[in-house]
Amino acid sequence: MNASNILFNTERRLRAPWRLVFFVVVLFVALVLSAWVEAAAEEFAAARGYQLLVSEWGVALGTLIATWIVLKLVEGRPWKFVGLNPEAAAMPTIAFGSALGLVAIAVP
C-alpha cells in the first residue's frame, strides 16, 4: 500500500476521511474570515452610530462558503447534493422550516 492508496480511492477521488479533514480545515479558515468580516461590519456601523439588526451571521456565511468550496473543488457536485437547490427555496419548504424552528424554540 502506497501513499496514493491511503489518500485516494480507485476512482482517484479523496477518501471520505480526507474529504472530512479537508472540509474541517476549509471551514475553520472560512469561519475565521467571515468572523473578521462580521466584526469589521459591526465596527463600521458602530462608528457611524448604527447597530446591525442581524448579528452572528458570520457562522452561516462561513459554513456556506466552506460548503461551496468543497462541493466545487473536491466533490464536483451541485448544490442539490446538499439540499440547497432552488426547489429547497420554495415557499412551502421555507414555511415548514420556519414553523419547525418556531416550535423548537417555543417548546421548553
Side-chain angles (χ1 to χ4, degrees):
M1 181 174 250
N2 58 22
S4 178
N5 290 340
I6 293 172
L7 291 175
F8 300 100
N9 61 17
T10 56
E11 300 168 350
R12 303 301 305 153
R13 295 182 63 209
L14 275 176
R15 292 188 179 274
W18 298 113
R19 284 184 278 183
L20 182 61
V21 168
F22 184 75
F23 178 76
V24 169
V25 169
V26 171
L27 179 63
F28 177 77
V29 171
L31 287 175
V32 167
L33 291 175
S34 63
W36 178 76
V37 169
E38 180 181 6
E42 288 177 357
E43 185 178 322
F44 181 80
R48 281 148 185 79
Y50 296 104
Q51 182 178 2
L52 296 180
L53 294 176
V54 179
S55 63
E56 301 301 326
W57 50 267
V59 174
L61 179 65
T63 304
L64 279 173
I65 290 170
T67 302
W68 178 77
I69 290 171
V70 171
L71 279 174
K72 293 297 177 192
L73 294 180
V74 177
E75 298 290 338
R77 299 189 188 259
W79 280 106
K80 187 175 183 175
F81 184 70
V82 293
L84 293 174
N85 52 340
E87 293 83 27
M91 190 50 72
T93 306
I94 293 173
F96 177 73
S98 297
L100 193 62
L102 176 71
V103 169
I105 292 170
V107 174

